[in-house]
Amino acid sequence: MEGGAISITPQEALNKYFALPSYKKEQLILIQEILSGKDVLGVLPTGYGKSLCYQIPALLFKRPTVVISPLISLMKDQVDALEDRGIAATYINSSLSLEESNERKRNIRKGKYKLIYVSPESLKLKRFTDLLRDIQPAQVAVDEAHCISVWGHDFRPEYRRIRPIIDTISRAPIIALTATATPKVQHDIL
């Protein structure tokens, strides 16, 4: 298993942190692929539990997971929900004061978080990518991955720069997740 695994199984993590009895078939397939070190694309319906597909591996890895997310409110909601479950998570975005941002970055460097949510735009900042390079994330999750595609209505050019930047940071597996993806959008994501 990549990312310096700890000794808890995916099923134990699901039961302990999420109080769920079992995975959906597609979730388990994506989780197993990430745990074996492969890049994966998950196109699953809204409300299907896409976030579990990177959150569970994050709990199994010693090194943190970086989650690239397009919306500040989505980052905050995810981090709040994880913290409510006893999972150390944070976000870095423009809603933070400079002091809050710097404190969180110091804690990232100290290894205090399992999941770190960032915007794609933050990957343009050399000091931040240097930090990510130093911590060597175990996996990178790209949430709302349809934003990568020029064929989608939510296209954000910063999403197109993710892979080249991540390749300079870590050889971590990448999981891209979305609920909406035509064949053209899937091709762009891949």
Side-chain angles (χ1 to χ4, degrees):
M1 186 183 311
E2 300 290 319
I6 60 175
S7 59
I8 186 172
T9 68
Q11 187 61 49
E12 290 168 339
L14 184 70
N15 299 145
K16 178 180 178 179
Y17 292 101
F18 297 95
L20 295 171
S22 62
Y23 292 100
K24 295 176 178 122
K25 177 183 164 188
E26 296 83 358
Q27 289 172 320
L28 191 55
I29 290 168
L30 291 170
I31 290 167
Q32 289 170 337
E33 293 293 301
I34 280 292
L35 293 176
S36 70
K38 296 178 184 169
D39 292 343
V40 295
L41 168 61
V43 181
L44 303 172
T46 299
Y48 202 77
K50 289 182 290 298
S51 299
L52 280 178
C53 298
Y54 61 81
Q55 290 170 343
I56 292 294
L59 296 171
L60 305 181
F61 292 138
K62 286 183 182 174
R63 295 192 319 269
T65 289
V66 172
V67 182
I68 300 167
S69 180
L71 301 171
I72 290 172
S73 61
L74 182 59
M75 288 183 209
K76 183 173 180 351
D77 290 349
Q78 291 273 340
V79 167
D80 288 349
L82 289 165
E83 288 179 336
D84 286 347
R85 295 179 183 285
I87 300 167
T90 194
Y91 58 84
I92 302 289
N93 61 42
S94 61
S95 73
L96 302 174
S97 70
L98 180 59
E99 184 178 307
E100 288 173 309
S101 180
N102 286 338
E103 177 66 20
R104 290 179 187 205
K105 289 173 186 172
R106 282 190 292 274
N107 287 333
I108 288 169
R109 196 168 292 284
K110 291 176 185 175
K112 292 195 174 186
Y113 305 112
K114 297 301 283 175
L115 292 110
I116 303 161
Y117 287 76
V118 302
S119 70
E121 291 81 6
S122 66
L123 298 177
K124 295 189 299 187
L125 307 172
K126 184 182 181 328
R127 290 183 72 192
F128 191 67
T129 57
D130 286 348
L131 170 61
L132 295 180
R133 191 173 297 108
D134 290 347
I135 66 165
Q136 287 291 296
Q139 74 171 325
V140 176
V142 181
D143 205 3
E144 304 297 336
H146 61 275
C147 295
I148 291 170
S149 179
V150 295
W151 302 102
H153 65 281
D154 292 337
F155 175 63
R156 286 175 65 180
E158 296 81 8
Y159 266 78
R160 288 288 202 169
R161 298 180 191 105
I162 291 172
R163 185 63 196 229
I165 291 169
I166 293 303
D167 284 345
T168 69
I169 293 171
S170 175
R171 285 299 312 136
I174 297 176
I175 180 169
L177 295 160
T178 186
T180 54
T182 65
K184 285 183 179 183
V185 171
Q186 288 181 40
H187 181 266
D188 271 3
I189 294 169
L190 293 171

